[in-house]
């Protein structure tokens, strides 16, 4: 069988399981999120090789079909994947197909799912400042009658807000597709999931300044509890425009 020939997920898993160079298989994406698969869902599979190992399975590197996408990499490369990077959430919620290393693959995934304390603190500070910046621009544009600009800045602010809230909980932010799935199973401490999602939806759709300000009051309190006073206080008198009027 060549890399260009049709290859099913089950057939590849059988090939990999029989190859001693393969130390783990990890499934990510919709197939790893219970209830999220559709008739269009493929299998996104990481094929993890022992460092320095050689195998004919490398011929499948870059294999991509409507059913099966493969990423073939070494154990060291797998440790580094998404650290940092866009793949971190996908791997944080990935499903282990098999782990030939007696739990090592599971520990690597667990490490990706939780940000270190210093990493989370610095990330939260950056996202808080970005959130405040977009929020400030939005409410200022709303005040000055720039309707489209206000709405676009509000939509931007929701992205930074979600990054911030997940960083405060030392977690990578889920992709938009999985946001509701994630919060239904792993709520953010101190936040009502339904109210938060409703506010994010309303702000993104309308740019409503009063809703933004009410939400900012809650975010400011949470950020100060987490030790981010300096980021907020750097905004000085401009905080007055962001807070409820």
């Amino acid at each position: 069988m060549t890399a260009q020939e049709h290859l099913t997920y089950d057939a590849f898993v059988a090939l990999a399981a029989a190859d001693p160079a393969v130390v783990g298989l990890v499934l990510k994406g919709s197939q790893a999120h219970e209830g999220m698969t559709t008739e269009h869902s493929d299998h996104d599979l990481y094929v993890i090789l022992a460092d320095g190992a050689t195998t004919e399975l490398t011929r499948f590197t870059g294999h991509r079909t409507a059913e099966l996408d493969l990423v073939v990499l070494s154990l060291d490369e797998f440790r580094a994947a998404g650290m940092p990077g866009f793949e971190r959430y996908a791997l944080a919620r990935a499903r282990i197909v098999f782990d030939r290393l007696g739990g090592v693959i599971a520990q690597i995934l667990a490490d990706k799912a939780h940000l270190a304390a210093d990493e989370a603190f610095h990330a939260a500070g950056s996202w808080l400042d970005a959130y405040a910046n977009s929020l400030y621009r939005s409410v200022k544009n709303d005040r000055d009658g720039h309707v489209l600009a206000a709405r676009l800045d509000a939509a931007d602010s929701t992205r930074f807000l979600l990054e911030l809230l997940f960083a405060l909980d030392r977690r990578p932010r889920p992709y938009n597709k999985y946001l509701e799935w994630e919060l239904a199973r792993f709520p953010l401490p101190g936040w009502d999931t339904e109210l938060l999602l409703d506010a994010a939806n309303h702000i993104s759709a309308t740019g409503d300044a009063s809703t933004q300000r009410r939400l900012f009051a809650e975010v400011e309190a949470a950020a100060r509890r987490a030790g981010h006073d300096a980021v907020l206080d750097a905004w000085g008198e401009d905080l007055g425009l962001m807070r409820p009027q």
Side-chain angles (χ1 to χ4, degrees):
M1 180 181 293
T2 70
Q4 301 303 314
E5 291 176 318
H6 180 68
L7 180 66
T8 67
Y9 169 75
D10 290 337
F12 183 82
V13 169
L15 281 175
D19 191 326
V22 178
V23 295
L25 291 178
V26 170
L27 188 66
K28 67 170 186 173
S30 297
Q31 297 286 353
H33 288 71
E34 183 181 359
M36 291 295 293
T37 57
T38 72
E39 60 182 310
H40 306 292
S41 298
D42 62 359
H43 292 79
D44 294 298
L45 192 66
Y46 273 83
V47 184
I48 307 159
L49 307 179
D51 292 324
T54 58
T55 171
E56 291 188 359
L57 292 184
T58 55
R59 74 186 188 274
F60 292 108
T61 299
H63 179 92
R64 185 179 179 88
T65 67
E67 180 180 356
L68 180 63
D69 290 351
L70 298 176
V71 177
V72 183
L73 73 179
S74 70
L75 182 62
D76 278 348
E77 289 171 331
F78 182 68
R79 289 183 192 277
M83 302 291 280
F86 187 68
E87 284 289 276
R88 186 161 187 173
Y89 174 76
L91 290 168
R93 294 294 179 220
R95 180 167 65 83
I96 296 173
V97 179
F98 75 79
D99 179 352
R100 213 189 296 273
L101 299 177
V104 170
I105 303 299
Q107 185 58 55
I108 292 173
L109 294 181
D111 291 342
K112 295 178 190 298
H114 298 283
L115 280 63
D118 286 349
E119 176 189 11
F121 185 83
H122 287 102
S126 295
W127 292 123
L128 173 60
D129 197 48
Y131 166 61
N133 187 286
S134 287
L135 169 64
Y136 177 71
R137 291 175 181 275
S138 180
V139 295
K140 187 170 67 171
N141 281 323
D142 178 76
R143 178 198 64 191
D144 296 339
H146 304 304
V147 177
L148 176 60
R151 191 163 64 246
L152 293 174
D153 285 327
D156 286 343
S157 78
T158 59
R159 172 201 165 200
F160 302 132
L161 168 64
L162 292 170
E163 295 279 7
L164 164 63
L165 296 183
F166 279 94
L168 288 174
D169 196 36
R170 296 177 58 182
R171 292 155 59 185
R173 178 202 162 178
Y175 308 145
N176 292 332
K177 177 179 179 179
Y178 302 120
L179 177 62
E180 292 174 282
W181 184 97
E182 178 77 15
L183 291 177
R185 290 158 178 79
F186 310 100
L188 289 165
W191 292 90
D192 182 297
T193 294
E194 184 176 356
L195 293 178
L196 176 61
L197 291 176
D198 284 348
N201 182 43
H202 185 62
I203 289 168
S204 296
T206 69
D208 181 65
S210 62
T211 302
Q212 291 192 74
R213 289 186 173 107
R214 287 196 299 271
L215 184 57
F216 178 73
E218 297 182 56
V219 174
E220 180 178 7
R224 290 191 184 279
R225 288 194 298 271
H228 295 287
D229 299 82
V231 175
L232 290 161
D233 292 342
W235 283 88
E237 295 181 356
D238 290 333
L239 285 173
L241 187 61
M242 303 182 212
R243 291 166 173 160
Q245 303 297 290

